[in-house]
Every structure is written in C-alpha cells, then in structure tokens.
Amino acid sequence: AQKVTQAQTEISVVEKEDVTLDCVYETRDTTYYLFWYKQPPSGELVFLIRRNSFDEQNEISGRYSWNFQKSTSSFNFTITASQVVDSAVYFCALSLAQGGSEKLVFGKGTKLTVNP
Amino acid sequence: DAGVTQSPTHLIKTRGQQVTLRCSPKSGHDTVSWYQQALGQGPQFIFQYYEEEERQRGNFPDRFSGHQFPNYSSELNVNALLLGDSALYLCASSLVRELTQAYNEQFFGPGTRLTVL
C-alpha cells in the first residue's frame, strides 16, 4: 500500500521568507509519480509540480523548487520569497505508474499562512 | 475550453437520505475519478470510471456508487447518509492513453460541499 506523510500541520511565515514543506512517502513499487497540489480557500486543487521516480534531478520553477531524494523517500517543496497569495493548504501526493490514470494518494496537507 | 465542473456547489441533507452529485469532465477527457475530502484531511480516492465502468475503487462502502454516461459525465450517489459523510467531494477528469506508462494528468473540479445533519 502507498502512504504519504506530511508531518507539518501548519506553518506561518512572514512575507518574503523562504518556506519548505516536507513530504515523506511509502511505496514498494519502483515506478511512481509524486506531486504537489495547492488548495486555496475556494477548495479547488491546483496542480503545482510532478516528478517521476526515475528522475531525481531537482529543479527550480519560478519561486518553486523541489528536492526529491529516493534514499530517504522524501519529496520536499520550497517556496522562495513567499507572498500572501501563497497562503493555502498544500498537499503532497503519490500515484503509481501503471498506465492510464491511477489514483492519487494524498497526505493530510500542510496549511501555510503567509503574513504581510 | 471548459474545465471540470461539478454541481451542486453546496448541499445539505439529513441522516438516512440519499444524495447525487454530478461532474462534467474537462473537454476531451474520458475518465472521471471521485475523491472525498473530510475537514482537515487530504482527499481520499473513492472510485474511477472509464468507458462507463468502474475501473478502480478505494476503501469505501457499497453505499457509495457511481455512474458514467456516454458523454463521459459522471454521478456519485451516496445512500443512507451518515454524519461522517459530510465532506468536500472532488471530481477529477483525465484522458486515458492506452499502451503507455505515461501518467495522465488529472484536473480537479471545484468540489461539492456536502453537509449531513
């Protein structure tokens, strides 16, 4: 079975601070995808990033960056120079790569509050 | 290009009643997945429909059932509602590409918030 753990329940930062959201996952499969989604108060899940298990290269996309380490089963997400609009609940998720649209297994989420 | 739409936006029911939630997938998508998100929790997979059949199912009781229509839209039905069924119900659509290991992006709708009193 797959499992995603987000140990941080809530994080509060001041605008322009960098913030890292932690994610640890469990799966016995060798091929899988990892995701980060953002859920603003409106409720709709917004896709942020996806990584497959064969690509551990860490990248930066604008103010977002991620650190994928298979050795520790972690997929951490960093927002650089946070803004008030970044305030939301962030979910880490895992999906097996078995063809088609496999189900997403989500963590419990981390609520990020960015204060002005 | 319309995204995933869900109706109604909000719904209030009483215990024991039945409810039907509706989802229209993003244009060009053929697969619909349903998720339940309880307050303060992450979404949990209920089931997925493809070619009008249930393709995958999560750990939910038979009170939760669904249907997919020829136009790919879908319904989620919940019978004998319990207080614990109060949640945000999210629909996600995607396009299944056969014979490939590539992941097919799931696009989420705004959800239906169900309150059971």
Short mmCIF file of all heavy atoms in Angstrom, two decimals, chain B residues 51-76:
data_model
loop_
_atom_site.label_atom_id
_atom_site.label_comp_id
_atom_site.label_asym_id
_atom_site.label_seq_id
_atom_site.Cartn_x
_atom_site.Cartn_y
_atom_site.Cartn_z
N GLU B 51 -14.97 4.36 -19.66
CA GLU B 51 -15.83 3.61 -20.58
C GLU B 51 -17.07 3.10 -19.86
O GLU B 51 -17.49 1.95 -20.04
CB GLU B 51 -15.05 2.45 -21.21
CG GLU B 51 -13.96 2.94 -22.16
CD GLU B 51 -13.31 1.81 -22.95
OE1 GLU B 51 -13.39 0.66 -22.50
OE2 GLU B 51 -12.72 2.10 -24.01
N GLU B 52 -17.63 3.96 -19.06
CA GLU B 52 -18.90 3.72 -18.36
C GLU B 52 -18.83 2.58 -17.34
O GLU B 52 -19.87 2.08 -16.89
CB GLU B 52 -20.03 3.46 -19.36
CG GLU B 52 -20.23 4.63 -20.33
CD GLU B 52 -21.37 4.37 -21.32
OE1 GLU B 52 -22.46 3.96 -20.89
OE2 GLU B 52 -21.14 4.58 -22.53
N GLU B 53 -17.62 2.19 -16.97
CA GLU B 53 -17.48 1.13 -15.97
C GLU B 53 -16.55 1.58 -14.84
O GLU B 53 -15.63 2.38 -15.07
CB GLU B 53 -16.94 -0.15 -16.62
CG GLU B 53 -17.93 -0.81 -17.56
CD GLU B 53 -17.50 -2.20 -17.96
OE1 GLU B 53 -16.41 -2.64 -17.50
OE2 GLU B 53 -18.23 -2.84 -18.71
N GLU B 54 -16.76 1.03 -13.67
CA GLU B 54 -15.89 1.32 -12.54
C GLU B 54 -14.56 0.63 -12.76
O GLU B 54 -14.49 -0.60 -12.84
CB GLU B 54 -16.55 0.84 -11.24
CG GLU B 54 -15.80 1.24 -9.99
CD GLU B 54 -16.48 0.77 -8.72
OE1 GLU B 54 -17.52 1.34 -8.34
OE2 GLU B 54 -15.97 -0.21 -8.11
N ARG B 55 -13.51 1.41 -12.81
CA ARG B 55 -12.19 0.88 -13.16
C ARG B 55 -11.34 0.60 -11.92
O ARG B 55 -10.58 -0.36 -11.89
CB ARG B 55 -11.48 1.86 -14.08
CG ARG B 55 -10.11 1.43 -14.56
CD ARG B 55 -9.60 2.38 -15.65
NE ARG B 55 -8.23 2.06 -16.03
CZ ARG B 55 -7.16 2.63 -15.51
NH1 ARG B 55 -7.28 3.55 -14.59
NH2 ARG B 55 -5.95 2.29 -15.91
N GLN B 56 -11.47 1.46 -10.95
CA GLN B 56 -10.74 1.28 -9.70
C GLN B 56 -11.68 1.70 -8.58
O GLN B 56 -12.57 2.54 -8.79
CB GLN B 56 -9.50 2.17 -9.61
CG GLN B 56 -8.45 2.00 -10.67
CD GLN B 56 -7.32 2.99 -10.45
OE1 GLN B 56 -6.56 2.90 -9.47
NE2 GLN B 56 -7.21 3.97 -11.33
N ARG B 57 -11.44 1.17 -7.37
CA ARG B 57 -12.26 1.56 -6.24
C ARG B 57 -11.39 1.65 -4.99
O ARG B 57 -10.53 0.79 -4.76
CB ARG B 57 -13.40 0.57 -6.00
CG ARG B 57 -14.40 1.05 -4.96
CD ARG B 57 -15.55 0.07 -4.78
NE ARG B 57 -16.51 0.57 -3.80
CZ ARG B 57 -17.58 1.29 -4.11
NH1 ARG B 57 -17.85 1.56 -5.36
NH2 ARG B 57 -18.38 1.73 -3.16
N GLY B 58 -11.63 2.67 -4.21
CA GLY B 58 -10.94 2.82 -2.94
C GLY B 58 -11.69 2.10 -1.84
O GLY B 58 -12.64 1.35 -2.09
N ASN B 59 -11.30 2.35 -0.62
CA ASN B 59 -11.87 1.66 0.53
C ASN B 59 -13.12 2.39 1.03
O ASN B 59 -13.13 2.97 2.12
CB ASN B 59 -10.81 1.56 1.64
CG ASN B 59 -11.27 0.68 2.77
OD1 ASN B 59 -12.11 -0.18 2.59
ND2 ASN B 59 -10.72 0.92 3.95
N PHE B 60 -14.15 2.33 0.24
CA PHE B 60 -15.43 2.95 0.60
C PHE B 60 -16.53 1.89 0.54
O PHE B 60 -16.48 1.00 -0.31
CB PHE B 60 -15.75 4.11 -0.34
CG PHE B 60 -15.05 5.38 0.03
CD1 PHE B 60 -13.73 5.59 -0.30
CD2 PHE B 60 -15.72 6.37 0.74
CE1 PHE B 60 -13.06 6.75 0.06
CE2 PHE B 60 -15.07 7.54 1.11
CZ PHE B 60 -13.74 7.73 0.77
N PRO B 61 -17.53 2.01 1.42
CA PRO B 61 -18.61 1.01 1.45
C PRO B 61 -19.49 1.09 0.21
O PRO B 61 -19.44 2.06 -0.56
CB PRO B 61 -19.40 1.38 2.71
CG PRO B 61 -19.12 2.83 2.93
CD PRO B 61 -17.70 3.04 2.48
N ASP B 62 -20.32 0.06 0.05
CA ASP B 62 -21.20 -0.02 -1.11
C ASP B 62 -22.25 1.08 -1.15
O ASP B 62 -22.92 1.25 -2.18
CB ASP B 62 -21.90 -1.39 -1.14
CG ASP B 62 -20.91 -2.51 -1.40
OD1 ASP B 62 -19.79 -2.21 -1.87
OD2 ASP B 62 -21.25 -3.67 -1.13
N ARG B 63 -22.40 1.81 -0.04
CA ARG B 63 -23.34 2.94 -0.06
C ARG B 63 -22.91 3.99 -1.08
O ARG B 63 -23.71 4.81 -1.51
CB ARG B 63 -23.39 3.61 1.32
CG ARG B 63 -23.89 2.75 2.44
CD ARG B 63 -24.05 3.56 3.73
NE ARG B 63 -22.82 4.14 4.23
CZ ARG B 63 -22.53 5.45 4.17
NH1 ARG B 63 -23.38 6.31 3.65
NH2 ARG B 63 -21.38 5.88 4.68
N PHE B 64 -21.64 3.95 -1.42
CA PHE B 64 -21.11 4.86 -2.42
C PHE B 64 -21.12 4.15 -3.78
O PHE B 64 -20.49 3.09 -3.95
CB PHE B 64 -19.68 5.28 -2.08
CG PHE B 64 -19.57 6.18 -0.90
CD1 PHE B 64 -19.70 5.69 0.40
CD2 PHE B 64 -19.36 7.54 -1.05
CE1 PHE B 64 -19.62 6.53 1.50
CE2 PHE B 64 -19.27 8.39 0.04
CZ PHE B 64 -19.40 7.89 1.32
N SER B 65 -21.85 4.71 -4.70
CA SER B 65 -21.91 4.13 -6.03
C SER B 65 -21.82 5.24 -7.06
O SER B 65 -21.99 6.42 -6.74
CB SER B 65 -23.20 3.33 -6.23
OG SER B 65 -24.32 4.19 -6.14
N GLY B 66 -21.56 4.84 -8.29
CA GLY B 66 -21.40 5.86 -9.31
C GLY B 66 -21.90 5.41 -10.65
O GLY B 66 -22.35 4.27 -10.83
N HIS B 67 -21.78 6.32 -11.56
CA HIS B 67 -22.21 6.02 -12.93
C HIS B 67 -21.48 6.96 -13.86
O HIS B 67 -21.21 8.12 -13.50
CB HIS B 67 -23.73 6.23 -13.04
CG HIS B 67 -24.28 5.78 -14.35
ND1 HIS B 67 -24.47 4.47 -14.68
CD2 HIS B 67 -24.67 6.51 -15.43
CE1 HIS B 67 -24.96 4.39 -15.91
NE2 HIS B 67 -25.09 5.60 -16.38
N GLN B 68 -21.18 6.47 -15.05
CA GLN B 68 -20.63 7.34 -16.07
C GLN B 68 -21.51 7.24 -17.31
O GLN B 68 -21.90 6.13 -17.72
CB GLN B 68 -19.19 6.98 -16.43
CG GLN B 68 -18.56 7.98 -17.42
CD GLN B 68 -17.12 7.64 -17.77
OE1 GLN B 68 -16.75 6.48 -17.86
NE2 GLN B 68 -16.30 8.67 -17.96
N PHE B 69 -21.82 8.34 -17.90
CA PHE B 69 -22.70 8.40 -19.06
C PHE B 69 -21.89 8.39 -20.36
O PHE B 69 -20.70 8.65 -20.35
CB PHE B 69 -23.58 9.64 -18.96
CG PHE B 69 -24.46 9.64 -17.74
CD1 PHE B 69 -24.04 10.27 -16.57
CD2 PHE B 69 -25.68 9.00 -17.73
CE1 PHE B 69 -24.82 10.26 -15.43
CE2 PHE B 69 -26.47 8.98 -16.60
CZ PHE B 69 -26.04 9.60 -15.46
N PRO B 70 -22.57 8.12 -21.49
CA PRO B 70 -21.85 8.08 -22.77
C PRO B 70 -21.11 9.38 -23.09
O PRO B 70 -20.13 9.36 -23.84
CB PRO B 70 -22.96 7.80 -23.78
CG PRO B 70 -23.98 7.04 -23.00
CD PRO B 70 -23.95 7.65 -21.63
N ASN B 71 -21.56 10.50 -22.55
CA ASN B 71 -20.85 11.77 -22.81
C ASN B 71 -19.71 11.99 -21.81
O ASN B 71 -19.16 13.08 -21.74
CB ASN B 71 -21.83 12.94 -22.77
CG ASN B 71 -22.40 13.19 -21.39
OD1 ASN B 71 -22.18 12.40 -20.46
ND2 ASN B 71 -23.14 14.26 -21.23
N TYR B 72 -19.38 10.97 -21.03
CA TYR B 72 -18.28 10.93 -20.06
C TYR B 72 -18.59 11.63 -18.74
O TYR B 72 -17.78 11.55 -17.82
CB TYR B 72 -16.98 11.48 -20.64
CG TYR B 72 -16.57 10.84 -21.93
CD1 TYR B 72 -16.45 11.57 -23.10
CD2 TYR B 72 -16.32 9.47 -21.98
CE1 TYR B 72 -16.09 10.96 -24.29
CE2 TYR B 72 -15.96 8.85 -23.17
CZ TYR B 72 -15.85 9.60 -24.32
OH TYR B 72 -15.49 9.00 -25.51
N SER B 73 -19.72 12.32 -18.63
CA SER B 73 -20.06 12.91 -17.35
C SER B 73 -20.34 11.80 -16.34
O SER B 73 -20.54 10.63 -16.73
CB SER B 73 -21.26 13.84 -17.48
OG SER B 73 -22.42 13.09 -17.81
N SER B 74 -20.35 12.17 -15.09
CA SER B 74 -20.45 11.13 -14.06
C SER B 74 -21.30 11.60 -12.89
O SER B 74 -21.46 12.81 -12.66
CB SER B 74 -19.05 10.77 -13.56
OG SER B 74 -19.09 9.83 -12.49
N GLU B 75 -21.86 10.63 -12.20
CA GLU B 75 -22.60 10.89 -10.96
C GLU B 75 -22.02 10.06 -9.83
O GLU B 75 -21.57 8.92 -10.06
CB GLU B 75 -24.08 10.52 -11.13
CG GLU B 75 -24.87 11.44 -12.00
CD GLU B 75 -26.34 11.06 -12.08
OE1 GLU B 75 -26.70 9.96 -11.60
OE2 GLU B 75 -27.12 11.86 -12.61
N LEU B 76 -22.06 10.66 -8.66
CA LEU B 76 -21.70 9.94 -7.43
C LEU B 76 -22.96 9.88 -6.58
O LEU B 76 -23.57 10.91 -6.32
CB LEU B 76 -20.58 10.67 -6.69
CG LEU B 76 -20.35 10.29 -5.22
CD1 LEU B 76 -19.89 8.86 -5.09
CD2 LEU B 76 -19.33 11.24 -4.59
#
